[in-house]
Amino acid sequence: MTTPTREIHLASRPTGQPTLENFRTVETELADPAPGQVLVRNTFLSVDPYMRGRMNDVKSYVPPFQVGAVLDGGAVGEVIASGEESLPVGTTVLHQAGWREHALISAKAARPVDVARVPASAYLGVLGMPGLTAYVGLQRIAAMKEGDAVLVSGAAGAVGSLAGQMARLMGASTVVGSAGSAEKVAWLTDELGFDAAVNYKDGAIGKLLAGHGPFDVYFDNVGGDHLEAAISHLADFGRVAACGAIASYNDERPSPGPRNLMMLVSKRLTLRGFIVSDHADLAAEFHQRVGAWVADGQLVFRETVVDGLDQTPQAFLDLLAGGNTGKMVVRLP
Ligand code: NDP
């Protein structure tokens, strides 16, 4: 028997801002699982900013997507046929074969997840890669301490909204966020417990932050002018967790770096980049600590849910343009 299904391919490499023409929906058929394999009906797909980098034909920490091949990424789904005893039909699993309705994968590439207390989609966000990214960035990269004043950019997104809340729960003296709309800023202060938040579209980010610092820790999701402003507003011995630089992901030419790098010297700052997958050793601690905060309601999360495989490319474009609050996911029927 075979299972008819559909998947999203990279039709062409984007130049600058991606468009829907860069993607194509393709029909295909999958065989039944061989021993050691499972067939999964995906229920939620993840769209993530790092995928933009994989659309360029450049060497990086993950190989580029291939033109004419399916785009993959985080997904959760239900096992509907199994060649592996430990993953029987009905098990919900997390895996990396996203952007498709069904996935035929090695059982070793599928991790069972507990959906008794949280929705399956949480494993793409708060209890998944973005949540671990926030935790690693604060705990290990910025070495956050109780009493630190923390600034988070991209604060209403998946990673940022969790980083800000985790900073509060780890004893920050103050947590300030930046995001791209009045609604997002209100969400940060009214519901997530940020002490203050600024809409970076209201003016120069450096000026908007005046009066909120100095900060001991900057969790950087944005780069560019945000990083320059943060360096100016960091306290002596401040630490930057360089997580992402979304302001430049669609740049066709490299944008100039911060003009105030001399402040790294004068303020004795530390700026450290990281990739979450290098820090899997913190996963157990993360699941225990953050799982408990989610379970007792101290840490809340939001998802922006888009329906249908066909909408996946648009969801990705909207993510890059700020159309999400919290984690952007695609729900499949
Ligand atoms: P988000 O949910 O934060 O979505 C992206 C957000 O970026 C948008 O919602 C938008 O919000 C904001 N944005 C887009 N363009 C700009 C701009 N020019 N200036 C400021 N903000 C902008 O995505 P994630 O939480 O998944 O990822 C956040 C960051 O973390 C990204 O840089 C990503 O690459 C990085 N990352 C890094 C990892 C690592 O291992 N180092 C792992 C996972 C993520 P707004 O409306 O506020 O503009």
Side-chain angles (χ1 to χ4, degrees):
M1 246 184 68
T2 56
T3 302
T5 190
R6 297 182 315 140
E7 53 193 33
I8 307 288
H9 287 200
L10 184 66
S12 56
R13 296 199 185 280
T15 307
Q17 184 80 32
T19 67
L20 291 179
E21 283 67 47
N22 298 126
F23 305 94
R24 182 182 303 129
T25 306
V26 173
E27 296 188 354
T28 184
E29 297 204 335
L30 296 176
D32 286 342
Q37 287 187 319
V38 287
L39 180 63
V40 179
R41 181 178 61 79
N42 285 335
T43 51
F44 285 95
L45 311 179
S46 187
V47 290
D48 294 276
Y50 78 88
M51 293 172 171
R52 176 63 189 88
R54 292 191 70 189
M55 291 171 193
N56 299 332
D57 192 13
V58 292
K59 193 167 180 289
S60 186
Y61 63 96
V62 269
F65 293 124
Q66 295 303 308
V67 174
V70 63
L71 293 119
D72 54 24
V76 282
E78 194 182 320
V79 174
I80 58 167
S82 180
E84 166 60 43
E85 233 175 82
S86 63
L87 294 179
V89 169
T91 311
T92 303
V93 291
L94 169 70
H95 60 87
Q96 282 301 311
W99 291 53
R100 56 190 115 189
E101 291 172 336
H102 296 85
L104 179 64
I105 51 176
S106 162
K108 290 192 185 114
R111 182 164 72 80
V113 291
D114 179 3
V115 290
R117 279 178 302 243
V118 289
S121 53
Y123 293 95
L124 301 177
V126 62
L127 297 181
M129 184 275 281
L132 182 60
T133 302
Y135 190 76
V136 166
L138 286 175
Q139 179 77 0
R140 174 169 286 167
I141 307 303
M144 204 207 119
K145 302 186 302 289
E146 218 178 308
D148 279 344
V150 178
L151 172 66
V152 180
S153 59
V159 174
S161 62
L162 300 172
Q165 292 182 83
M166 287 180 200
R168 171 173 51 76
L169 290 162
M170 290 175 183
S173 58
T174 181
V175 182
V176 175
S178 75
S181 75
E183 292 74 23
K184 290 183 181 188
V185 161
W187 181 57
L188 297 178
T189 52
D190 300 352
E191 292 182 43
L192 299 192
F194 281 61
D195 297 287
V198 299
N199 175 359
Y200 68 86
K201 293 179 181 164
D202 282 345
I205 182 68
K207 289 208 173 106
L208 294 170
L209 290 175
H212 292 297
F215 300 101
D216 302 295
V217 167
Y218 172 47
F219 193 109
D220 189 19
N221 288 313
V222 170
D225 57 350
H226 273 73
L227 177 56
E228 183 173 300
I231 288 171
S232 291
H233 288 282
L234 276 166
D236 284 354
F237 302 101
R239 289 96 64 204
V240 179
C243 176
I246 197 161
S248 63
Y249 289 176
N250 289 324
D251 284 358
E252 293 180 46
R253 279 182 303 279
S255 42
R259 291 164 297 183
N260 54 355
L261 281 182
M262 181 54 201
M263 284 187 184
L264 264 62
V265 180
S266 57
K267 294 188 184 183
R268 290 85 96 204
L269 305 178
T270 305
L271 189 155
R272 184 176 168 200
F274 71 104
I275 296 296
V276 63
S277 51
D278 293 334
H279 301 276
D281 61 299
L282 277 187
E285 175 186 315
F286 156 74
H287 280 291
Q288 194 188 22
R289 241 179 130 186
V290 176
W293 287 333
V294 172
D296 68 14
Q298 292 192 77
L299 191 148
V300 296
F301 63 97
R302 192 188 274 193
E303 294 168 344
T304 300
V305 182
V306 172
D307 279 300
L309 182 80
D310 295 320
Q311 294 307 311
T312 310
Q314 187 62 54
F316 175 69
L317 303 187
D318 289 348
L319 170 81
L320 295 180
N324 61 308
T325 300
K327 176 72 186 121
M328 180 75 109
V329 290
V330 178
R331 178 168 51 198
L332 302 185

